[in-house]
Amino acid sequence: MIKNNIGQESQENKDIANQVEIGKRIKEIRELSDLNQIEFAKKIGLKQSFISRVELGKVNCLADMICSMHEVYGASPNYILLGYEPKFISNDSFFKKEKALKEEKEKALKEEKEKALKKVEGFVNSLYK
């Protein structure tokens, strides 16, 4: 009976250590994706507080979360769970969408800056008339 309890404690400790390692790898994937916990969680349909607890190793990662991380970010399930490289598997559709959104955002920002500059120039010119 005592051996069984010791074996159970040992397995529980291993499970907790593995949970912590998975949390660290998920945090790394998030940071490599250049996102904070709120943005990261939103894109995979979870709450920031849950992401925080997973990254700290306080709760287990959900299978759905791993699938979503792969679909949305191209994260390798083998890396998340086992630490096997590569960290990312090519997910062309995700990267193309992200690139298109970034380019669209940059274009809109440039247009806004140009409009603001024209307003300032018009105001300055009106001062000198």
Side-chain angles (χ1 to χ4, degrees):
M1 187 72 122
I2 295 174
K3 284 185 179 180
N4 191 21
N5 288 339
I6 293 171
Q8 283 179 331
E9 285 181 28
S10 178
Q11 184 59 44
E12 286 175 12
N13 289 340
K14 287 179 185 177
D15 291 344
I16 290 169
N18 190 39
Q19 190 172 301
V20 169
E21 290 304 310
I22 290 171
K24 287 178 184 178
R25 288 191 289 269
I26 288 171
K27 181 177 181 179
E28 183 181 16
I29 293 291
R30 176 181 59 78
E31 289 175 342
L32 288 170
S33 300
D34 199 27
L35 297 169
N36 63 38
Q37 287 180 344
I38 295 168
E39 296 164 330
F40 187 78
K42 187 176 182 180
K43 286 189 176 193
I44 58 175
L46 295 170
K47 293 185 178 184
Q48 177 273 329
S49 58
F50 182 75
I51 298 296
S52 175
R53 292 193 325 263
V54 168
E55 287 183 0
L56 293 170
K58 298 198 182 270
V59 295
N60 282 321
C61 178
L62 304 170
D64 288 350
M65 180 180 173
I66 294 169
C67 291
S68 293
M69 287 175 63
H70 172 68
E71 289 172 9
V72 175
Y73 300 108
S76 166
N78 284 337
Y79 179 72
I80 296 167
L81 294 172
L82 305 169
Y84 298 152
E85 298 282 344
K87 295 174 186 170
F88 294 93
I89 299 172
S90 179
N91 187 343
D92 290 338
S93 63
F94 165 71
F95 293 112
K96 286 178 184 176
K97 286 179 193 175
E98 284 295 304
K99 184 178 179 183
L101 287 173
K102 185 177 180 180
E103 289 172 356
E104 188 177 308
K105 187 176 179 180
E106 288 173 355
K107 182 180 176 184
L109 184 60
K110 183 178 177 182
E111 289 172 359
E112 285 181 37
K113 284 180 181 179
E114 288 174 359
K115 285 180 186 178
L117 184 58
K118 285 182 182 180
K119 285 182 180 180
V120 170
E121 286 176 353
F123 175 73
V124 170
N125 288 337
S126 71
L127 294 174
Y128 291 104
K129 286 186 178 181

